[in-house]
Amino acid sequence: MIDKSSPIPFYYQLESFIKDQINSGNLVPGDTIPSEREYAEAYGISRMTVRQAINALVTEGLLYRKKGSGTFVANKKIEQPLQGLTSFTEDMKKRGMNPTSELIHFEIVPASINIADELHIKEHAPVYEIKRIRLADGEPMALETNYLSANLVKGLTEEVVNTSIYAYIEEKLNLEIAHADQMIESIQASSEDARLLKINKDHPMLYIKRNTFLQDGTPLELVKSHYRGDRYKFYIKMKRFE
Ligand code: GLP
């Protein structure tokens, strides 16, 4: 599989070979890949070349290293479209995955000046502060904190937020969720993220801030989420001219 007469660099050939093995299902998530020495001996290339190929695949998130035990095939990342204002519950169900939540915090608190500003309500007005671990097929994906005005979103309970907040708002309150502004930034896992999502501190994460609005422009929610960077990738289709 390494063609020594080819102008394609050896590291790149090995990288493509390992990728093919993952895509064809010869290597599946959780499998250990051969060691650098084994690859080097099997294909008559240097360990440095093997390392370069493996490093590229680790950076891409297809492989991950575990200290002392080797290099493993990572779970496939969830590809999340950026068009469409959807909920976590809808997104996971669409993929045939089972969405669950673990409630960490649920309280009505007086809005801080910042939250009040984001939700266009008065400082100290009551807001729900809801922190949930969002899981897909039992695997923690994100830690999400929602702020919603308690005067607008009436009757939220712990039972409701254990399932879908969006479903409650639309089906029970008959409010029309219309549009949102969303910002995505790269961050490192905080100690809290690490503890609750069972990852290492400083793990790569995506910080997603969403401000959602009703049809008439009323701010509905402010959401601050920390998504696992190794489990998510986002995509969007773009048109040069609208
Ligand atoms: C996603 C969004 C959040 C939104 C949530 C609602 O996770 N990032 O901004 O609040 O969906 O999800 P659900 O309706 O499942 O509670």
Short mmCIF file of all heavy atoms in Angstrom, two decimals, residues 43-91:
data_model
loop_
_atom_site.label_atom_id
_atom_site.label_comp_id
_atom_site.label_asym_id
_atom_site.label_seq_id
_atom_site.Cartn_x
_atom_site.Cartn_y
_atom_site.Cartn_z
N TYR A 43 5.94 -1.53 6.43
CA TYR A 43 5.98 -0.86 5.13
C TYR A 43 7.35 -0.30 4.77
O TYR A 43 7.49 0.40 3.76
CB TYR A 43 4.92 0.25 5.10
CG TYR A 43 3.54 -0.32 5.34
CD1 TYR A 43 2.79 0.06 6.46
CD2 TYR A 43 3.01 -1.27 4.47
CE1 TYR A 43 1.55 -0.50 6.70
CE2 TYR A 43 1.77 -1.83 4.71
CZ TYR A 43 1.04 -1.44 5.82
OH TYR A 43 -0.18 -2.01 6.04
N GLY A 44 8.35 -0.60 5.60
CA GLY A 44 9.73 -0.16 5.29
C GLY A 44 9.85 1.36 5.22
O GLY A 44 10.48 1.90 4.31
N ILE A 45 9.18 2.04 6.15
CA ILE A 45 9.29 3.50 6.21
C ILE A 45 9.77 3.89 7.61
O ILE A 45 9.78 3.05 8.52
CB ILE A 45 7.94 4.20 5.88
CG1 ILE A 45 6.80 3.61 6.74
CG2 ILE A 45 7.60 4.09 4.39
CD1 ILE A 45 5.44 4.25 6.51
N SER A 46 10.16 5.14 7.78
CA SER A 46 10.71 5.52 9.09
C SER A 46 9.58 5.78 10.09
O SER A 46 8.44 6.09 9.70
CB SER A 46 11.58 6.77 8.96
OG SER A 46 10.74 7.91 8.83
N ARG A 47 9.92 5.68 11.37
CA ARG A 47 8.91 5.95 12.41
C ARG A 47 8.47 7.40 12.38
O ARG A 47 7.32 7.71 12.71
CB ARG A 47 9.48 5.59 13.79
CG ARG A 47 9.53 4.09 13.99
CD ARG A 47 10.06 3.71 15.34
NE ARG A 47 9.21 4.17 16.43
CZ ARG A 47 9.28 3.69 17.65
NH1 ARG A 47 10.15 2.72 17.93
NH2 ARG A 47 8.50 4.15 18.60
N MET A 48 9.39 8.27 11.98
CA MET A 48 9.05 9.70 11.86
C MET A 48 7.92 9.91 10.84
O MET A 48 7.00 10.68 11.06
CB MET A 48 10.28 10.50 11.36
CG MET A 48 11.20 10.95 12.46
SD MET A 48 10.37 12.13 13.52
CE MET A 48 10.34 13.54 12.42
N THR A 49 8.03 9.15 9.74
CA THR A 49 7.01 9.25 8.68
C THR A 49 5.67 8.75 9.20
O THR A 49 4.63 9.37 8.99
CB THR A 49 7.45 8.42 7.45
OG1 THR A 49 8.70 8.92 7.02
CG2 THR A 49 6.44 8.48 6.33
N VAL A 50 5.73 7.64 9.95
CA VAL A 50 4.48 7.09 10.52
C VAL A 50 3.88 8.11 11.48
O VAL A 50 2.68 8.39 11.45
CB VAL A 50 4.76 5.76 11.25
CG1 VAL A 50 3.49 5.24 11.91
CG2 VAL A 50 5.34 4.71 10.30
N ARG A 51 4.76 8.71 12.31
CA ARG A 51 4.26 9.67 13.31
C ARG A 51 3.57 10.84 12.63
O ARG A 51 2.53 11.32 13.08
CB ARG A 51 5.43 10.17 14.16
CG ARG A 51 4.96 10.92 15.41
CD ARG A 51 6.07 11.12 16.40
NE ARG A 51 6.78 9.87 16.68
CZ ARG A 51 8.07 9.81 17.06
NH1 ARG A 51 8.77 10.91 17.17
NH2 ARG A 51 8.62 8.66 17.32
N GLN A 52 4.15 11.28 11.52
CA GLN A 52 3.58 12.42 10.80
C GLN A 52 2.16 12.08 10.32
O GLN A 52 1.24 12.90 10.44
CB GLN A 52 4.48 12.74 9.60
CG GLN A 52 4.32 14.17 9.12
CD GLN A 52 5.26 14.47 7.94
OE1 GLN A 52 6.19 13.69 7.64
NE2 GLN A 52 5.02 15.58 7.28
N ALA A 53 1.98 10.87 9.80
CA ALA A 53 0.66 10.45 9.32
C ALA A 53 -0.33 10.38 10.48
O ALA A 53 -1.46 10.87 10.40
CB ALA A 53 0.77 9.09 8.64
N ILE A 54 0.11 9.77 11.58
CA ILE A 54 -0.79 9.59 12.73
C ILE A 54 -1.13 10.94 13.35
O ILE A 54 -2.29 11.21 13.68
CB ILE A 54 -0.18 8.60 13.74
CG1 ILE A 54 -0.15 7.20 13.08
CG2 ILE A 54 -0.97 8.57 15.06
CD1 ILE A 54 0.51 6.12 13.86
N ASN A 55 -0.13 11.83 13.45
CA ASN A 55 -0.40 13.16 14.00
C ASN A 55 -1.47 13.88 13.20
O ASN A 55 -2.36 14.52 13.77
CB ASN A 55 0.88 14.03 13.98
CG ASN A 55 1.82 13.66 15.11
OD1 ASN A 55 1.43 12.93 16.04
ND2 ASN A 55 3.04 14.14 15.05
N ALA A 56 -1.38 13.75 11.87
CA ALA A 56 -2.37 14.43 11.03
C ALA A 56 -3.77 13.88 11.31
O ALA A 56 -4.75 14.64 11.39
CB ALA A 56 -2.02 14.25 9.56
N LEU A 57 -3.87 12.57 11.52
CA LEU A 57 -5.19 11.96 11.78
C LEU A 57 -5.70 12.28 13.18
O LEU A 57 -6.91 12.40 13.40
CB LEU A 57 -5.11 10.44 11.56
CG LEU A 57 -4.85 10.04 10.09
CD1 LEU A 57 -4.43 8.59 9.98
CD2 LEU A 57 -6.11 10.28 9.25
N VAL A 58 -4.77 12.46 14.12
CA VAL A 58 -5.17 12.87 15.48
C VAL A 58 -5.70 14.30 15.42
O VAL A 58 -6.75 14.61 15.98
CB VAL A 58 -3.98 12.74 16.47
CG1 VAL A 58 -4.28 13.42 17.80
CG2 VAL A 58 -3.63 11.27 16.69
N THR A 59 -4.99 15.16 14.68
CA THR A 59 -5.43 16.56 14.57
C THR A 59 -6.80 16.63 13.92
O THR A 59 -7.65 17.43 14.30
CB THR A 59 -4.41 17.37 13.72
OG1 THR A 59 -3.13 17.17 14.30
CG2 THR A 59 -4.73 18.84 13.67
N GLU A 60 -7.04 15.77 12.96
CA GLU A 60 -8.34 15.76 12.26
C GLU A 60 -9.45 15.16 13.12
O GLU A 60 -10.63 15.25 12.77
CB GLU A 60 -8.21 14.92 10.99
CG GLU A 60 -8.59 15.66 9.74
CD GLU A 60 -8.58 14.76 8.54
OE1 GLU A 60 -7.48 14.49 8.02
OE2 GLU A 60 -9.64 14.29 8.12
N GLY A 61 -9.06 14.51 14.22
CA GLY A 61 -10.06 13.93 15.12
C GLY A 61 -10.47 12.52 14.75
O GLY A 61 -11.43 11.99 15.32
N LEU A 62 -9.77 11.89 13.80
CA LEU A 62 -10.13 10.52 13.42
C LEU A 62 -9.50 9.50 14.36
O LEU A 62 -10.02 8.39 14.53
CB LEU A 62 -9.68 10.22 11.98
CG LEU A 62 -10.42 11.00 10.90
CD1 LEU A 62 -9.82 10.72 9.54
CD2 LEU A 62 -11.89 10.59 10.88
N LEU A 63 -8.37 9.87 14.96
CA LEU A 63 -7.70 8.99 15.93
C LEU A 63 -7.48 9.79 17.20
O LEU A 63 -7.47 11.02 17.18
CB LEU A 63 -6.32 8.56 15.41
CG LEU A 63 -6.24 7.78 14.09
CD1 LEU A 63 -4.77 7.52 13.74
CD2 LEU A 63 -6.99 6.44 14.21
N TYR A 64 -7.32 9.09 18.32
CA TYR A 64 -6.90 9.76 19.55
C TYR A 64 -5.92 8.88 20.29
O TYR A 64 -5.94 7.66 20.15
CB TYR A 64 -8.11 10.13 20.43
CG TYR A 64 -8.86 8.95 20.99
CD1 TYR A 64 -8.60 8.46 22.26
CD2 TYR A 64 -9.85 8.32 20.24
CE1 TYR A 64 -9.30 7.36 22.77
CE2 TYR A 64 -10.55 7.23 20.73
CZ TYR A 64 -10.27 6.76 22.00
OH TYR A 64 -10.94 5.68 22.50
N ARG A 65 -5.03 9.55 21.04
CA ARG A 65 -4.02 8.80 21.78
C ARG A 65 -4.42 8.70 23.24
O ARG A 65 -4.99 9.65 23.78
CB ARG A 65 -2.67 9.52 21.72
CG ARG A 65 -2.05 9.54 20.35
CD ARG A 65 -0.59 9.99 20.47
NE ARG A 65 0.08 9.85 19.19
CZ ARG A 65 0.21 10.84 18.31
NH1 ARG A 65 -0.27 12.03 18.58
NH2 ARG A 65 0.82 10.62 17.16
N LYS A 66 -4.11 7.57 23.85
CA LYS A 66 -4.33 7.42 25.29
C LYS A 66 -2.98 7.09 25.89
O LYS A 66 -2.36 6.11 25.46
CB LYS A 66 -5.30 6.26 25.54
CG LYS A 66 -6.53 6.65 26.29
CD LYS A 66 -7.23 5.42 26.75
CE LYS A 66 -8.71 5.60 26.94
NZ LYS A 66 -9.39 4.34 27.05
N LYS A 67 -2.55 7.92 26.85
CA LYS A 67 -1.22 7.72 27.43
C LYS A 67 -1.04 6.30 27.93
O LYS A 67 -1.89 5.78 28.64
CB LYS A 67 -1.00 8.70 28.58
CG LYS A 67 -0.14 9.85 28.17
CD LYS A 67 0.37 10.65 29.35
CE LYS A 67 0.69 12.03 28.83
NZ LYS A 67 0.15 13.10 29.64
N GLY A 68 0.02 5.65 27.50
CA GLY A 68 0.34 4.33 28.01
C GLY A 68 -0.41 3.19 27.35
O GLY A 68 -0.06 2.03 27.53
N SER A 69 -1.50 3.50 26.56
CA SER A 69 -2.20 2.35 25.97
C SER A 69 -2.25 2.35 24.45
O SER A 69 -2.65 1.35 23.87
CB SER A 69 -3.58 2.17 26.58
OG SER A 69 -4.18 3.39 26.88
N GLY A 70 -1.88 3.43 23.80
CA GLY A 70 -1.81 3.39 22.34
C GLY A 70 -2.68 4.41 21.64
O GLY A 70 -3.16 5.37 22.25
N THR A 71 -2.91 4.17 20.35
CA THR A 71 -3.69 5.10 19.53
C THR A 71 -4.95 4.39 19.06
O THR A 71 -4.88 3.24 18.60
CB THR A 71 -2.84 5.58 18.33
OG1 THR A 71 -1.63 6.11 18.85
CG2 THR A 71 -3.55 6.64 17.52
N PHE A 72 -6.08 5.07 19.19
CA PHE A 72 -7.38 4.43 18.94
C PHE A 72 -8.17 5.17 17.86
O PHE A 72 -7.97 6.36 17.63
CB PHE A 72 -8.21 4.44 20.23
CG PHE A 72 -7.59 3.66 21.34
CD1 PHE A 72 -6.63 4.24 22.17
CD2 PHE A 72 -7.95 2.33 21.56
CE1 PHE A 72 -6.04 3.51 23.19
CE2 PHE A 72 -7.37 1.60 22.58
CZ PHE A 72 -6.41 2.19 23.40
N VAL A 73 -9.10 4.45 17.26
CA VAL A 73 -10.01 5.06 16.29
C VAL A 73 -11.11 5.80 17.07
O VAL A 73 -11.73 5.22 17.96
CB VAL A 73 -10.64 3.98 15.38
CG1 VAL A 73 -11.62 4.61 14.38
CG2 VAL A 73 -9.55 3.20 14.65
N ALA A 74 -11.30 7.08 16.73
CA ALA A 74 -12.29 7.90 17.45
C ALA A 74 -13.69 7.65 16.91
O ALA A 74 -13.86 7.16 15.80
CB ALA A 74 -11.93 9.38 17.27
N ASN A 75 -14.67 8.01 17.72
CA ASN A 75 -16.06 7.98 17.25
C ASN A 75 -16.22 9.00 16.13
O ASN A 75 -15.56 10.04 16.15
CB ASN A 75 -17.01 8.40 18.38
CG ASN A 75 -17.32 7.24 19.28
OD1 ASN A 75 -17.51 6.12 18.82
ND2 ASN A 75 -17.38 7.50 20.57
N LYS A 76 -17.11 8.71 15.22
CA LYS A 76 -17.35 9.65 14.13
C LYS A 76 -17.98 10.92 14.68
O LYS A 76 -18.86 10.84 15.54
CB LYS A 76 -18.31 9.00 13.13
CG LYS A 76 -17.76 9.02 11.75
CD LYS A 76 -18.65 8.31 10.77
CE LYS A 76 -18.42 9.00 9.46
NZ LYS A 76 -19.44 9.46 8.71
N LYS A 77 -17.52 12.06 14.20
CA LYS A 77 -18.10 13.31 14.70
C LYS A 77 -19.52 13.48 14.19
O LYS A 77 -19.85 13.04 13.09
CB LYS A 77 -17.28 14.50 14.20
CG LYS A 77 -15.96 14.67 14.92
CD LYS A 77 -15.32 15.98 14.51
CE LYS A 77 -13.94 16.07 15.12
NZ LYS A 77 -13.27 17.33 14.82
N ILE A 78 -20.33 14.15 14.99
CA ILE A 78 -21.68 14.49 14.56
C ILE A 78 -21.59 15.69 13.63
O ILE A 78 -20.95 16.69 13.97
CB ILE A 78 -22.55 14.80 15.79
CG1 ILE A 78 -22.81 13.49 16.53
CG2 ILE A 78 -23.82 15.53 15.42
CD1 ILE A 78 -23.60 13.62 17.78
N GLU A 79 -22.19 15.57 12.45
CA GLU A 79 -22.16 16.70 11.51
C GLU A 79 -23.43 17.50 11.68
O GLU A 79 -24.52 17.01 11.41
CB GLU A 79 -22.07 16.19 10.07
CG GLU A 79 -20.68 15.71 9.74
CD GLU A 79 -20.51 15.40 8.27
OE1 GLU A 79 -21.24 15.96 7.42
OE2 GLU A 79 -19.63 14.57 7.98
N GLN A 80 -23.29 18.70 12.15
CA GLN A 80 -24.46 19.51 12.47
C GLN A 80 -24.61 20.65 11.47
O GLN A 80 -23.74 21.51 11.38
CB GLN A 80 -24.28 20.06 13.90
CG GLN A 80 -25.39 20.94 14.38
CD GLN A 80 -26.70 20.18 14.53
OE1 GLN A 80 -26.72 19.04 14.99
NE2 GLN A 80 -27.78 20.79 14.12
N PRO A 81 -25.71 20.64 10.70
CA PRO A 81 -25.90 21.76 9.78
C PRO A 81 -26.17 23.05 10.55
O PRO A 81 -26.77 23.01 11.63
CB PRO A 81 -27.13 21.36 8.95
CG PRO A 81 -27.78 20.27 9.70
CD PRO A 81 -26.81 19.67 10.65
N LEU A 82 -25.71 24.15 10.01
CA LEU A 82 -25.95 25.42 10.69
C LEU A 82 -27.21 26.12 10.21
O LEU A 82 -27.69 27.04 10.84
CB LEU A 82 -24.73 26.33 10.54
CG LEU A 82 -23.56 25.95 11.45
CD1 LEU A 82 -22.31 26.73 11.10
CD2 LEU A 82 -23.90 26.15 12.92
N GLN A 83 -27.74 25.66 9.07
CA GLN A 83 -29.03 26.22 8.65
C GLN A 83 -30.10 25.54 9.50
O GLN A 83 -29.94 24.38 9.88
CB GLN A 83 -29.37 25.89 7.19
CG GLN A 83 -28.54 26.61 6.19
CD GLN A 83 -27.55 25.65 5.55
OE1 GLN A 83 -27.09 24.72 6.19
NE2 GLN A 83 -27.23 25.91 4.31
N GLY A 84 -31.18 26.22 9.74
CA GLY A 84 -32.29 25.56 10.45
C GLY A 84 -32.14 25.74 11.94
O GLY A 84 -31.09 25.43 12.51
N LEU A 85 -33.19 26.25 12.53
CA LEU A 85 -33.18 26.50 13.98
C LEU A 85 -33.80 25.30 14.67
O LEU A 85 -35.02 25.22 14.80
CB LEU A 85 -33.96 27.80 14.26
CG LEU A 85 -34.18 28.22 15.70
CD1 LEU A 85 -32.91 28.13 16.51
CD2 LEU A 85 -34.70 29.64 15.72
N THR A 86 -32.94 24.36 15.06
CA THR A 86 -33.45 23.11 15.61
C THR A 86 -33.03 22.94 17.07
O THR A 86 -32.15 23.65 17.56
CB THR A 86 -32.92 21.92 14.80
OG1 THR A 86 -31.49 22.04 14.71
CG2 THR A 86 -33.50 21.87 13.40
N SER A 87 -33.66 21.97 17.73
CA SER A 87 -33.31 21.70 19.12
C SER A 87 -32.42 20.46 19.19
O SER A 87 -32.38 19.67 18.24
CB SER A 87 -34.58 21.43 19.93
OG SER A 87 -35.13 20.17 19.57
N PHE A 88 -31.77 20.30 20.31
CA PHE A 88 -30.91 19.12 20.51
C PHE A 88 -31.75 17.85 20.34
O PHE A 88 -31.33 16.90 19.68
CB PHE A 88 -30.29 19.18 21.91
CG PHE A 88 -29.33 18.06 22.18
CD1 PHE A 88 -28.02 18.13 21.75
CD2 PHE A 88 -29.74 16.92 22.87
CE1 PHE A 88 -27.12 17.09 21.99
CE2 PHE A 88 -28.86 15.87 23.12
CZ PHE A 88 -27.55 15.96 22.68
N THR A 89 -32.94 17.86 20.91
CA THR A 89 -33.81 16.68 20.84
C THR A 89 -34.11 16.33 19.38
O THR A 89 -33.98 15.17 18.97
CB THR A 89 -35.12 16.95 21.61
OG1 THR A 89 -34.77 17.32 22.96
CG2 THR A 89 -36.03 15.74 21.64
N GLU A 90 -34.49 17.35 18.60
CA GLU A 90 -34.78 17.10 17.17
C GLU A 90 -33.55 16.61 16.43
O GLU A 90 -33.62 15.67 15.64
CB GLU A 90 -35.27 18.40 16.51
CG GLU A 90 -36.64 18.85 16.98
CD GLU A 90 -36.93 20.31 16.64
OE1 GLU A 90 -35.99 21.08 16.35
OE2 GLU A 90 -38.10 20.69 16.69
N ASP A 91 -32.41 17.26 16.68
CA ASP A 91 -31.17 16.90 15.97
C ASP A 91 -30.80 15.44 16.19
O ASP A 91 -30.43 14.73 15.27
CB ASP A 91 -30.00 17.78 16.44
CG ASP A 91 -30.15 19.23 16.03
OD1 ASP A 91 -30.90 19.48 15.05
OD2 ASP A 91 -29.55 20.10 16.67
#
